[in-house]
Amino acid sequence: MIAAVLAGLVLAQAAAPPSPAQAVPRTAEGHPDLNGVWSNASITLLNRPRGVDALVVDEAEARRMAASSGNVRRAEADAKPTAATVGAPTDGNTEAGYNAGWLDPGMTLAKVNGTYRTSWIVNPANGQLPTKPAAEALARRSFARQRNTPQGPEDLAPNDRCIIGSRGSGGPGMLNNLYNNNYQIVLTRDAVAIDIEMVHDVRIIPIFRSKAEAQARHRPAALQLWLGDSVAWWEGDALMVETTHVNPEQGAYGPIFLSADGVVTESFRRVSADQISYAFDVVDPAYYTQPWRAEMSFNALNGQVFEYACHEGNYAMEGILRGARDDEARAARASKAP
């Protein structure tokens, strides 16, 4: 009940259009001020849910979709009081990894450019990644990798090794997650830094005077940087960011699959005192049948980004590998049993 009330309040706030009197804050250089702490928490995801045809829905349908969301239902169930006579809960969350008390995915559909959206993807019109078989094979491999018995740290996914954030939090493009959907942007005349709460990744992106100058200043492809090699420039009121040469392991793991030739172009446009309109275009003929585009909103937070601890002391990695070896030992003993 509490979660439902909160969801209604948040949805009502999101539905309120920005006041015409709200001026977009600007920096000393005259550019829109992107500084601040922002969140992209939402039940809206990159791909549109199967069976949903429309990109844009009205408020009533947005409420209905939020009420039927699995994450919202889990949060509501978790918020209900428990009876002392029932006893301690069983360990029923190991497969999912977390119960709802540890998650914070958002409780409503996102409002982007004034409309409720059912997917971040706006092109193709069906709201689905236009993947080629090569990308679909990578997705199956990533899914299987999470369930394989790791022989060593290198067998685990980049996010499980705490190298980069999970579910595309760090980009490019920057996707919402099950929790830690917060970002701090620090903008100067010559660079922009984006501190991503998940795994405290930081993208430090130089800003150049023009698109041509920025593209000429990409670093060597051989560097293969985590989160890619990003350069930026202003086009009117939009800060444009082009990213190339994403680390191959990141590009093969997804959720946005990128080959060595993949290019992601992001735009950040401050549209009100409390919202940034964010979009990104992906061009990668190796993995997609066409270029595709996604649109999202970053909403202002009155707070700060806290440090995210992943594998505190790296004990978790040791535990994962020790558990895998114990599983193998049990299986070996079982195979020898009469």
Side-chain angles (χ1 to χ4, degrees), residues 10-19 22 59 111 116 274-275:
V10 172
L11 189 60
Q13 291 172 355
S19 167
Q22 285 183 329
E59 184 174 339
K111 201 168 191 185
Y116 291 107
D274 54 9
Q275 193 170 82

Side-chain angles (χ1 to χ4, degrees), residues 130 242-245 256-265 280-293:
E242 181 181 87
T243 302
T244 60
H245 307 133
I256 297 176
F257 299 101
L258 293 169
S259 73
D261 297 322
V263 178
V264 181
T265 305
F280 60 91
D281 293 89
V282 177
V283 178
D284 194 343
Y287 290 147
Y288 303 103
T289 60
Q290 66 174 78
W292 58 274
R293 178 177 176 84

Side-chain angles (χ1 to χ4, degrees), residues 66-77:
S68 64
S69 164
N71 284 327
V72 172
R73 290 200 302 268
R74 287 176 65 189
E76 291 175 340

